[in-house]
Amino acid sequence: MVPPTAVAKGSAVAVKDPVKDTILTPRFYTTDFEAMADMDLQPNEAELEAICEEFRKDYNRHHFVRNDEFDGAADKLDPQTRRVFIEFLEQSCTSEFSGFLLYKELSRRIKKKNPLLAECFGHMARDEARHAGFLNKAMSDFGMQLDLGFLTANKDYTFFKPKFIFYATYLSEKIGYWRYIAIFRHLEKNPDSKIFPIFNFFENWCQDENRHGDFFDALMKAQPDTVRGPIAKLWCRFFLLAVFATMYVRDVARKEFYEALSLDARTYDKMVIEKTNETSARVFPVVLDVNNSKFWDRLERLVDNNAALEAADNSSASAPLKLLRKLPYWIGNGAVMAKLFLMSPTDSDKFQPAVR
Ligand SMILES: [Fe+2]
Ligand SMILES: [Fe+2]
């Protein structure tokens, strides 16, 4: 299934303008396709072949089929919940679609030189297209849809060398797994808080993300230098921190969405961060010391700074005055991130040896 690229003219569904790009909105990536094509998979080829075989089975081929539970479900949401839920759908759709674009392009560009890797990326693109399409269809229940063709052509693409793509996508897949499964399990116990039927699909859906994460785990093991040595350790810490801090600040800022599901954004994020950190120890040489209370205190400082930045943005002050007001908070964020980055990490082989 290919995600819709445009909305038919004359349709009752409005095309939603994409949200303004900020450091907290999902990004689109591009990479060095030549380097990716030349990658030697031999050190871990058997595992990658086994993962590809799993992808071929296409377990969720018949999963993303809408049923009559969706009929009229959107009308039951009060205006406040509706607003935060649409935001959630849009962010999720954009990040799923970002995965689709990157994997599709990779599979197309490395097909001749690296057929196994190309096939894996092709299967993952198939999954992400389903996810993005399903979310976009849910948006149309609320009378709007993202123009994914417009997004493809107009979003800025961030260039990452292959090893940075591995760190970033591995983490986004594993964090995606924990986010979806945590919501699913919570709603299983609290069915009254299931505000929309899309959450019924999260259990099988998150297994796709888990498999995608396992693929990047195997790929990093095929390129052992990406997860070996002092430089790799610094990069792993950097990516863990960037991903965790961004998610925490973003989720706390939209805590109303989690409240609508009777979840506390902070408790939910803490659990997702702890689980993703623990999972990452299977492949990253070091992970973050999330048991240190300073880690959480510092994330809270980022939350406060972010709220102040948003308040400055929303004020009626002139542009130069806004900039002046925001400056101390930007500097504050830089200082807090540096402190977080310099905290002693946890060696993965000392941490949960059972999961490695
Ligand atoms: Fe996905
Ligand atoms: Fe995925």
Side-chain angles (χ1 to χ4, degrees), residues 96 103 128 131 173 208-209 212:
E96 296 280 8
Y103 300 159
E128 305 301 17
H131 303 165
E173 297 290 0
D208 282 342
E209 312 304 7
H212 300 169

mmCIF file with all atom_site columns, all heavy atoms in Angstrom, residues 96 103 128 131 173 208-209 212, ligand 2:
data_model
loop_
_atom_site.group_PDB
_atom_site.id
_atom_site.type_symbol
_atom_site.label_atom_id
_atom_site.label_alt_id
_atom_site.label_comp_id
_atom_site.label_asym_id
_atom_site.label_entity_id
_atom_site.label_seq_id
_atom_site.pdbx_PDB_ins_code
_atom_site.Cartn_x
_atom_site.Cartn_y
_atom_site.Cartn_z
_atom_site.occupancy
_atom_site.B_iso_or_equiv
_atom_site.pdbx_formal_charge
_atom_site.auth_seq_id
_atom_site.auth_comp_id
_atom_site.auth_asym_id
_atom_site.auth_atom_id
_atom_site.pdbx_PDB_model_num
ATOM   1  N  N   . GLU A 1 96  ? 6.156  8.434  10.702 1.00 0.00 ? 96  GLU A N   1
ATOM   2  C  CA  . GLU A 1 96  ? 6.059  7.172  9.959  1.00 0.00 ? 96  GLU A CA  1
ATOM   3  C  C   . GLU A 1 96  ? 6.413  7.417  8.485  1.00 0.00 ? 96  GLU A C   1
ATOM   4  O  O   . GLU A 1 96  ? 7.119  6.627  7.862  1.00 0.00 ? 96  GLU A O   1
ATOM   5  C  CB  . GLU A 1 96  ? 4.633  6.595  10.035 1.00 0.00 ? 96  GLU A CB  1
ATOM   6  C  CG  . GLU A 1 96  ? 4.157  6.203  11.427 1.00 0.00 ? 96  GLU A CG  1
ATOM   7  C  CD  . GLU A 1 96  ? 4.691  4.854  11.898 1.00 0.00 ? 96  GLU A CD  1
ATOM   8  O  OE1 . GLU A 1 96  ? 5.560  4.278  11.221 1.00 0.00 ? 96  GLU A OE1 1
ATOM   9  O  OE2 . GLU A 1 96  ? 4.243  4.390  12.963 1.00 0.00 ? 96  GLU A OE2 1
ATOM   10 N  N   . TYR A 1 103 ? 13.573 4.779  3.825  1.00 0.00 ? 103 TYR A N   1
ATOM   11 C  CA  . TYR A 1 103 ? 13.766 3.357  3.518  1.00 0.00 ? 103 TYR A CA  1
ATOM   12 C  C   . TYR A 1 103 ? 13.510 3.077  2.040  1.00 0.00 ? 103 TYR A C   1
ATOM   13 O  O   . TYR A 1 103 ? 14.201 2.287  1.411  1.00 0.00 ? 103 TYR A O   1
ATOM   14 C  CB  . TYR A 1 103 ? 12.845 2.482  4.383  1.00 0.00 ? 103 TYR A CB  1
ATOM   15 C  CG  . TYR A 1 103 ? 13.066 2.625  5.875  1.00 0.00 ? 103 TYR A CG  1
ATOM   16 C  CD1 . TYR A 1 103 ? 12.073 2.270  6.797  1.00 0.00 ? 103 TYR A CD1 1
ATOM   17 C  CD2 . TYR A 1 103 ? 14.269 3.103  6.374  1.00 0.00 ? 103 TYR A CD2 1
ATOM   18 C  CE1 . TYR A 1 103 ? 12.270 2.403  8.166  1.00 0.00 ? 103 TYR A CE1 1
ATOM   19 C  CE2 . TYR A 1 103 ? 14.479 3.237  7.747  1.00 0.00 ? 103 TYR A CE2 1
ATOM   20 C  CZ  . TYR A 1 103 ? 13.468 2.891  8.634  1.00 0.00 ? 103 TYR A CZ  1
ATOM   21 O  OH  . TYR A 1 103 ? 13.669 3.032  9.975  1.00 0.00 ? 103 TYR A OH  1
ATOM   22 N  N   . GLU A 1 128 ? 6.122  1.025  6.843  1.00 0.00 ? 128 GLU A N   1
ATOM   23 C  CA  . GLU A 1 128 ? 5.941  2.436  7.234  1.00 0.00 ? 128 GLU A CA  1
ATOM   24 C  C   . GLU A 1 128 ? 4.870  3.101  6.371  1.00 0.00 ? 128 GLU A C   1
ATOM   25 O  O   . GLU A 1 128 ? 4.130  3.967  6.846  1.00 0.00 ? 128 GLU A O   1
ATOM   26 C  CB  . GLU A 1 128 ? 7.251  3.222  7.130  1.00 0.00 ? 128 GLU A CB  1
ATOM   27 C  CG  . GLU A 1 128 ? 8.433  2.654  7.898  1.00 0.00 ? 128 GLU A CG  1
ATOM   28 C  CD  . GLU A 1 128 ? 8.237  2.511  9.400  1.00 0.00 ? 128 GLU A CD  1
ATOM   29 O  OE1 . GLU A 1 128 ? 7.090  2.537  9.886  1.00 0.00 ? 128 GLU A OE1 1
ATOM   30 O  OE2 . GLU A 1 128 ? 9.252  2.334  10.093 1.00 0.00 ? 128 GLU A OE2 1
ATOM   31 N  N   . HIS A 1 131 ? 1.660  2.213  7.928  1.00 0.00 ? 131 HIS A N   1
ATOM   32 C  CA  . HIS A 1 131 ? 1.438  2.962  9.179  1.00 0.00 ? 131 HIS A CA  1
ATOM   33 C  C   . HIS A 1 131 ? 1.015  4.404  8.877  1.00 0.00 ? 131 HIS A C   1
ATOM   34 O  O   . HIS A 1 131 ? 0.059  4.913  9.444  1.00 0.00 ? 131 HIS A O   1
ATOM   35 C  CB  . HIS A 1 131 ? 2.708  2.976  10.042 1.00 0.00 ? 131 HIS A CB  1
ATOM   36 C  CG  . HIS A 1 131 ? 3.230  1.605  10.382 1.00 0.00 ? 131 HIS A CG  1
ATOM   37 N  ND1 . HIS A 1 131 ? 4.494  1.381  10.885 1.00 0.00 ? 131 HIS A ND1 1
ATOM   38 C  CD2 . HIS A 1 131 ? 2.660  0.377  10.271 1.00 0.00 ? 131 HIS A CD2 1
ATOM   39 C  CE1 . HIS A 1 131 ? 4.675  0.080  11.080 1.00 0.00 ? 131 HIS A CE1 1
ATOM   40 N  NE2 . HIS A 1 131 ? 3.577  -0.550 10.712 1.00 0.00 ? 131 HIS A NE2 1
ATOM   41 N  N   . GLU A 1 173 ? 12.974 3.542  16.060 1.00 0.00 ? 173 GLU A N   1
ATOM   42 C  CA  . GLU A 1 173 ? 12.179 2.311  15.956 1.00 0.00 ? 173 GLU A CA  1
ATOM   43 C  C   . GLU A 1 173 ? 11.918 1.704  17.339 1.00 0.00 ? 173 GLU A C   1
ATOM   44 O  O   . GLU A 1 173 ? 10.796 1.304  17.650 1.00 0.00 ? 173 GLU A O   1
ATOM   45 C  CB  . GLU A 1 173 ? 12.896 1.271  15.081 1.00 0.00 ? 173 GLU A CB  1
ATOM   46 C  CG  . GLU A 1 173 ? 13.112 1.684  13.628 1.00 0.00 ? 173 GLU A CG  1
ATOM   47 C  CD  . GLU A 1 173 ? 11.823 1.736  12.825 1.00 0.00 ? 173 GLU A CD  1
ATOM   48 O  OE1 . GLU A 1 173 ? 10.741 1.453  13.359 1.00 0.00 ? 173 GLU A OE1 1
ATOM   49 O  OE2 . GLU A 1 173 ? 11.905 2.098  11.635 1.00 0.00 ? 173 GLU A OE2 1
ATOM   50 N  N   . ASP A 1 208 ? 5.984  -4.479 14.218 1.00 0.00 ? 208 ASP A N   1
ATOM   51 C  CA  . ASP A 1 208 ? 6.715  -4.002 13.029 1.00 0.00 ? 208 ASP A CA  1
ATOM   52 C  C   . ASP A 1 208 ? 7.903  -3.155 13.467 1.00 0.00 ? 208 ASP A C   1
ATOM   53 O  O   . ASP A 1 208 ? 9.022  -3.336 13.001 1.00 0.00 ? 208 ASP A O   1
ATOM   54 C  CB  . ASP A 1 208 ? 5.806  -3.134 12.131 1.00 0.00 ? 208 ASP A CB  1
ATOM   55 C  CG  . ASP A 1 208 ? 4.843  -3.951 11.271 1.00 0.00 ? 208 ASP A CG  1
ATOM   56 O  OD1 . ASP A 1 208 ? 5.087  -5.167 11.100 1.00 0.00 ? 208 ASP A OD1 1
ATOM   57 O  OD2 . ASP A 1 208 ? 3.856  -3.366 10.764 1.00 0.00 ? 208 ASP A OD2 1
ATOM   58 N  N   . GLU A 1 209 ? 7.637  -2.208 14.386 1.00 0.00 ? 209 GLU A N   1
ATOM   59 C  CA  . GLU A 1 209 ? 8.710  -1.291 14.813 1.00 0.00 ? 209 GLU A CA  1
ATOM   60 C  C   . GLU A 1 209 ? 9.814  -2.072 15.526 1.00 0.00 ? 209 GLU A C   1
ATOM   61 O  O   . GLU A 1 209 ? 10.993 -1.778 15.365 1.00 0.00 ? 209 GLU A O   1
ATOM   62 C  CB  . GLU A 1 209 ? 8.179  -0.179 15.740 1.00 0.00 ? 209 GLU A CB  1
ATOM   63 C  CG  . GLU A 1 209 ? 6.918  0.549  15.277 1.00 0.00 ? 209 GLU A CG  1
ATOM   64 C  CD  . GLU A 1 209 ? 6.998  1.179  13.894 1.00 0.00 ? 209 GLU A CD  1
ATOM   65 O  OE1 . GLU A 1 209 ? 7.998  0.975  13.179 1.00 0.00 ? 209 GLU A OE1 1
ATOM   66 O  OE2 . GLU A 1 209 ? 6.032  1.871  13.514 1.00 0.00 ? 209 GLU A OE2 1
ATOM   67 N  N   . HIS A 1 212 ? 11.909 -3.676 12.925 1.00 0.00 ? 212 HIS A N   1
ATOM   68 C  CA  . HIS A 1 212 ? 12.758 -2.677 12.265 1.00 0.00 ? 212 HIS A CA  1
ATOM   69 C  C   . HIS A 1 212 ? 13.961 -2.346 13.155 1.00 0.00 ? 212 HIS A C   1
ATOM   70 O  O   . HIS A 1 212 ? 15.086 -2.214 12.675 1.00 0.00 ? 212 HIS A O   1
ATOM   71 C  CB  . HIS A 1 212 ? 11.984 -1.385 11.975 1.00 0.00 ? 212 HIS A CB  1
ATOM   72 C  CG  . HIS A 1 212 ? 10.789 -1.578 11.079 1.00 0.00 ? 212 HIS A CG  1
ATOM   73 N  ND1 . HIS A 1 212 ? 9.844  -0.601 10.870 1.00 0.00 ? 212 HIS A ND1 1
ATOM   74 C  CD2 . HIS A 1 212 ? 10.386 -2.649 10.339 1.00 0.00 ? 212 HIS A CD2 1
ATOM   75 C  CE1 . HIS A 1 212 ? 8.918  -1.060 10.036 1.00 0.00 ? 212 HIS A CE1 1
ATOM   76 N  NE2 . HIS A 1 212 ? 9.228  -2.298 9.709  1.00 0.00 ? 212 HIS A NE2 1
HETATM 77 FE FE  . FE  B 2 .   ? 9.408  1.383  11.817 1.00 0.00 ? 2   FE  B FE  1
#
